[in-house]
Amino acid sequence: MSDDVKVKVRGLTKKFGDLLVLDNISFDIKKGDFVCIVGPTGCGKTTFLNLLVKLLEPTSGQILIDNEPADPKKHNISFVFQEPSAFPWLTVEQNIQYGMKIKKLAPEVIKERTEEILTALGLSDVRNSFPRELSASMEQRVVIGRSFAMHPDLLLMDEPYAQMDIKVRYYLEDQVIKLWQQTGSTVLFITHNIEEAVYLSEKCLILTNKPATIREEKKIDLPRPRDIASEEFIELREYITKQIKWW
Amino acid sequence: MNKTKKQGKTKYLILSILGLTVFFGIWQAAVKLGWVSERSLKAPTDIIQTFIYKLTNKSPDGATLPTHFWFSLRLALSSFAIATIIGVPLGWFMGFYKKLDMLLNPIFEIVRPIPPIAWIPIVILTLGIGFQAKMFIIFVAAFVPNVINSYLGIRMTDMTLVNVAKTYGATDWEIFTTVCIPSSLNMVFTGIRLSLNASWTTLVAAEMLASTKGLGYMIQMGRTIIRPDIIIVGMFSIGITGALLNIILNLFEKKVAPWRYRD
Ligand SMILES: Nc1ncnc2c1ncn2[C@@H]1O[C@H](COP(=O)(O)OP(=O)(O)OP(=O)(O)O)[C@@H](O)[C@H]1O
Ligand SMILES: [Mg+2]
């Protein structure tokens, strides 16, 4: 049974000095699940992802990936950060290849995936441009391409689509679903946008205000592709919105 | 966009030429109308004459202008090159490895405020007055900005980018070479530019150590034999070469770090 658990969190607590941010959180994420994390601003969502990939150490408790402590050198993890994170000195193409080169994938694989990603994300025309020459939303697409290209086991995305206009966002939401379905990755996706959360996820993790605990794990079992105008969809969206506002 | 840029460039060119013309015009007038004695300052036209004369003549200071120039360039550039080859990596490593930083920083902080010229007496006692001694003085001046700026360049690396590399499983060395160093290049080039300027401006001081050649020496001689035109030819040679070296360095930077420039 524990075989199909990808991420196991037990009694996770994080303090920054006296500031208690995460308070004794426990939950499991199944292999191949698509989980959206929603919660009030500043409740500790980013902190949680940073703990998960060992960029931060927990005050107490533990996080296991595939039943062992997370190790980016071993696990195939991709993290799309909340801040802009394209490498300014690499072209679009080189940015997309960065993670694959660190993981020392075969040159043919790198080449093939680069082409695939450039096409899928509409970046072929700017493949030799530097990030500085692109709009913020285009730059973010490069970052997303870089993480998709890894075919990660565990894809972590921290409000990746926050600055995008609605058309691009809808398109990229479908792209992340496609990647998830094709590669069987486990996805953790942080968003402020409840509609996005309901559209994407199999499960919604609703956090409380700081110090964050889990207010509810809400299953979203709507058929795909989802219709954001359907009655069940709107009902779920409103329910989750209410749960976040509640204290 | 392109058009206004071009217009801006033309305007810039016109104003630059105007500035230079007025500057040399006033200077010419000041000397020729007798506001300043020709014993202490020569007119630009005389200086051009001296310049042309010195291209091939050794008198009155013992060597032709090209000889002086070549000697100084070799001295300044070799010191600058060594200061860069040692200073930049040292700054990089100090910026990245905390222990090395703690080990070297105290020494560096004490040495840093000592002006290069203050080194001259001790250098004379230890290295004498030859080429090596001069090189050392210039090296000290050129070394410090290289170390400081490369160090800061590493320290100012965006942590998010470091974290990107970490989450892909990059080793410390990979983080250093693929993230910190490229991100530092901006500052590194600022350091190299300061370093080049420092080596060129310290030249005259270094050539105060017994010399028989060099632009700094030529300036000294000009004073001794009261030839202001020789002094000024030397000064302008230093100034113009410095400006040209900066242009070359900028072109080089655009090649090495194109992402900051391409439009
Ligand atoms: N390195 C740190 N040192 C001290 N306090 C921190 C640090 N990182 C985060 N915090 C604090 O922890 C709390 C949670 O921050 P976090 O960034 O995880 O929230 P978030 O849920 O991601 O917020 P947002 O919705 O704005 O992205 C905030 O109050 C923040 O100020
Ligand atoms: Mg956040």
Side-chain angles (χ1 to χ4, degrees):
Chain A
M1 121 112 216
S2 76
D3 260 3
D4 64 335
V5 172
K6 184 76 188 171
V7 179
K8 190 179 198 172
V9 178
R10 289 293 176 270
L12 182 67
T13 299
K14 179 67 189 175
K15 287 184 191 165
F16 291 111
D18 286 336
L19 181 72
L20 182 61
V21 178
L22 298 177
D23 189 10
N24 195 19
I25 294 183
S26 301
F27 62 92
D28 288 343
I29 292 172
K30 285 207 315 284
K31 234 172 222 157
D33 211 351
F34 197 132
V35 177
C36 276
I37 303 176
V38 296
T41 300
C43 75
K45 303 181 291 294
T46 300
T47 303
F48 169 69
L49 286 198
N50 285 337
L51 286 163
L52 182 58
V53 295
K54 291 277 176 206
L55 290 175
L56 291 174
E57 283 299 320
T59 308
S60 65
Q62 61 173 349
I63 302 184
L64 300 176
I65 297 180
D66 295 330
N67 264 319
E68 52 189 346
D71 178 2
K73 289 192 178 69
K74 195 179 313 164
H75 298 119
N76 186 3
I77 299 171
S78 272
F79 196 144
V80 176
F81 289 88
Q82 197 167 0
E83 302 83 15
S85 63
F87 294 112
W89 53 87
L90 298 182
T91 62
V92 168
E93 186 172 350
Q94 292 166 334
N95 260 290
I96 287 170
Q97 296 172 340
Y98 181 83
M100 299 192 281
K101 285 187 174 158
I102 291 290
K103 280 279 192 288
K104 304 197 168 57
L105 300 188
E108 314 87 69
V109 178
I110 294 182
K111 212 166 155 235
E112 188 193 317
R113 291 211 194 147
T114 307
E115 295 308 320
E116 185 186 298
I117 293 289
L118 286 172
T119 313
L121 296 188
L123 293 167
S124 300
D125 290 344
V126 293
R127 63 191 302 156
N128 293 319
S129 302
F130 288 108
R132 199 181 63 95
E133 301 169 296
L134 307 176
S135 67
S137 126
M138 278 289 247
E139 183 180 338
Q140 186 65 358
R141 257 193 264 179
V142 176
V143 171
I144 289 160
R146 183 175 65 197
S147 62
F148 283 11
M150 302 295 288
H151 291 179
D153 269 2
L154 186 59
L155 175 60
L156 310 172
M157 303 180 88
D158 195 350
E159 303 190 31
Y161 303 156
Q163 329 153 28
M164 312 222 155
D165 64 61
I166 208 157
K167 233 178 78 193
V168 179
R169 211 179 66 219
Y170 283 165
Y171 178 74
L172 290 174
E173 284 170 1
D174 288 332
Q175 288 293 323
V176 73
I177 291 173
K178 209 165 123 194
L179 178 93
W180 169 64
Q181 287 171 337
Q182 279 171 1
T183 61
S185 325
T186 309
V187 184
L188 264 93
F189 192 107
I190 295 178
T191 178
H192 266 120
N193 186 326
I194 311 302
E195 184 189 279
E196 186 170 65
V198 177
Y199 184 74
L200 291 174
S201 67
E202 298 283 287
K203 192 163 90 180
C204 220
L205 216 57
I206 307 168
L207 299 183
T208 64
N209 236 330
K210 191 173 53 185
T213 52
I214 296 175
R215 139 138 243 99
E216 186 174 347
E217 291 186 40
K218 183 76 188 158
K219 250 185 123 55
I220 315 278
D221 46 8
L222 300 176
R224 292 174 194 271
R226 290 176 179 167
D227 174 10
I228 58 169
S230 77
E231 211 171 294
E232 303 99 296
F233 190 100
I234 294 173
E235 207 172 284
L236 269 168
R237 197 192 67 202
E238 282 173 352
Y239 175 77
I240 293 172
T241 311
K242 210 174 75 216
Q243 289 300 306
I244 294 175
K245 294 242 171 79
W246 186 95
W247 39 66
Chain B
M1 174 75 207
N2 225 337
K3 202 167 171 192
T4 52
K5 223 175 177 177
K6 215 171 210 169
Q7 279 173 351
K9 237 177 180 170
T10 320
K11 208 184 245 169
Y12 178 72
L13 198 68
I14 291 172
L15 285 176
S16 305
I17 292 170
L18 187 71
L20 285 172
T21 314
V22 170
F23 174 73
F24 285 110
I26 292 176
W27 179 357
Q28 182 84 12
V31 178
K32 291 296 171 191
L33 299 177
W35 304 340
V36 195
S37 146
E38 289 213 37
R39 238 181 94 81
S40 50
L41 189 68
K42 284 283 198 309
T45 45
D46 300 327
I47 285 160
I48 291 169
Q49 266 173 17
T50 306
F51 173 76
I52 293 167
Y53 173 82
K54 279 300 300 173
L55 283 177
T56 49
N57 285 285
K58 285 189 181 173
S59 74
D61 46 86
T64 63
L65 182 61
T67 312
H68 286 309
F69 170 78
W70 179 240
F71 185 84
S72 291
L73 191 70
R74 203 168 53 116
L75 176 62
L77 287 190
S78 50
S79 315
F80 161 73
I82 295 173
T84 303
I85 289 166
I86 299 177
V88 170
L90 182 68
W92 277 340
F93 283 112
M94 280 172 69
F96 194 73
Y97 294 102
K98 288 246 158 54
K99 289 209 177 104
L100 189 68
D101 187 17
M102 290 191 263
L103 186 73
L104 297 180
N105 208 13
I107 307 172
F108 190 72
E109 284 301 318
I110 294 169
V111 171
R112 191 163 78 121
I114 304 173
I117 299 170
W119 284 85
I120 290 180
I122 192 78
V123 167
I124 292 176
L125 290 181
T126 51
L127 291 172
I129 51 175
F131 194 78
Q132 277 177 16
K134 297 186 187 76
M135 260 182 81
F136 184 82
I137 306 290
I138 299 177
F139 170 84
V140 170
F143 183 65
V144 172
N146 273 329
V147 177
I148 294 176
N149 284 277
S150 308
Y151 173 86
L152 288 177
I154 296 286
R155 282 309 181 86
M156 280 159 50
T157 307
D158 182 352
M159 269 318 283
T160 305
L161 299 182
V162 172
N163 287 341
V164 169
K166 269 190 193 163
T167 52
Y168 285 130
T171 60
D172 275 359
W173 182 252
E174 283 168 331
I175 291 172
F176 181 51
T177 53
T178 68
V179 181
C180 295
I181 289 181
S183 118
S184 76
L185 285 185
N186 199 346
M187 287 294 285
V188 168
F189 271 104
T190 306
I192 292 180
R193 194 168 297 117
L194 291 170
S195 164
L196 183 63
N197 287 337
S199 57
W200 203 236
T201 49
T202 317
L203 188 69
V204 180
E207 285 178 348
M208 281 180 187
L209 299 178
S211 291
T212 52
K213 285 190 219 66
L215 294 171
Y217 167 78
M218 182 172 136
I219 292 173
Q220 292 295 317
M221 278 304 284
R223 197 201 56 158
T224 313
I225 58 179
I226 319 181
R227 282 287 300 274
D229 50 337
I230 297 277
I231 297 176
I232 293 165
V233 166
M235 284 169 66
F236 271 94
S237 301
I238 290 175
I240 291 167
T241 313
L244 287 178
L245 289 175
N246 261 321
I247 291 172
I248 293 169
L249 191 61
N250 283 339
L251 292 176
F252 179 68
E253 183 178 0
K254 280 183 194 177
K255 264 248 128 60
V256 176
W259 61 90
R260 292 176 43 224
Y261 297 96
R262 223 168 63 188
D263 248 321

